[in-house]
Amino acid sequence: MTVPTPPRVLTVAGSDSGGGAGIQADLKTMMALGVHGMSVIAAVTAQNSLGVQGYWELPPEAVRAQLDAVLGDIGAQAVKTGMLASSALVEVVADALGAYGAPLVVDPVGVSKHGDSLLAPEAVDTIRTRLLPIATVVTPNLWEVEQLTSVKVEDEGDLRRAADAVLALGPTWALVKGGHLPGRPVDLLTDGVSEYRFDAERLDNRHTHGTGCTLASAIASWIARGEDVPGAVGRAKEYVTGAIAAGFPLGSGIGPVDHAWQWH
């Protein structure tokens, strides 16, 4: 019997030793959504429910070797990037993915859920100039929008202005996540012409570690499965909303979303 190969998705990100975010969240999301997940580890964190105790970048040549190994043999229908830590790593990843050409979902990770920095300050400009111009979708939260564009979002009316500022940096689509605004959370997706708003119920659950990683990985997974970008974002939002609703306590701090909520 020949078993068909599922769609393949590659994550390029940091490892979370606590299992709630980063590479671990990405791979759990990909399995839950029926694609084969692969990983290029760019950094290793010492992390738990209380925060990030430290992180260590991998050498650029190690990151490039992982990219070449996976893309040169197995290939990918979509790629997601997360924590890239430094300018040198962003450049290596941008060179490889720009040449490969698969749909790219960029989660421009700057800080952890606990407020710990995960990106060298000088790397922000490298993300702007090297990574965002090759992105299919970029998924910044409001703090990341301000970090990338200097646009501060005060209310839902500012979301389109923020998205246009992100689009000016070169991605095809911008998904500005408005979950930190008061009221019903609304995310705005646009390519500069079409505009989609995704709202959801605000859930009373503090255990939300890994939401950004999970959303970006879910979008990449649905793109690999054949959805267009608006369809992929809509289905990814449904998955993440369920995962947040089922988020559970872990350790003494903020617990993770439940990537397996559909199975449970």
Side-chain angles (χ1 to χ4, degrees), residues 130-195:
R130 296 297 311 281
L131 197 60
L132 295 193
I134 63 171
T136 306
V137 192
V138 60
T139 64
N141 61 29
L142 301 185
W143 186 88
E144 291 157 352
V145 166
E146 187 173 1
Q147 185 184 44
L148 291 167
T149 69
S150 299
V151 172
K152 188 173 180 62
V153 176
E154 303 281 2
D155 55 42
E156 187 180 337
D158 293 330
L159 290 175
R160 180 57 192 259
R161 181 168 62 93
D164 287 341
V166 173
L167 288 175
L169 299 174
T172 306
W173 292 86
L175 176 67
V176 177
K177 300 180 291 190
H180 292 120
L181 291 174
R184 190 174 177 88
V186 176
D187 298 347
L188 184 142
L189 173 71
T190 182
D191 62 354
V193 179
S194 301
E195 179 179 306

Side-chain angles (χ1 to χ4, degrees), residues 172-250:
T172 306
W173 292 86
L175 176 67
V176 177
K177 300 180 291 190
H180 292 120
L181 291 174
R184 190 174 177 88
V186 176
D187 298 347
L188 184 142
L189 173 71
T190 182
D191 62 354
V193 179
S194 301
E195 179 179 306
Y196 303 85
R197 291 180 185 252
F198 301 89
D199 68 348
E201 178 185 357
R202 186 172 295 281
L203 301 168
D204 184 19
N205 188 352
R206 65 187 292 263
H207 301 300
T208 57
H209 186 48
T211 50
C213 308
T214 300
L215 178 64
S217 294
I219 294 169
S221 297
W222 282 113
I223 289 174
R225 292 188 60 175
E227 291 280 356
D228 61 12
V229 170
V233 171
R235 299 193 75 161
K237 283 285 295 179
E238 292 173 7
Y239 171 72
V240 171
T241 299
I244 293 171
F248 53 88
L250 194 71

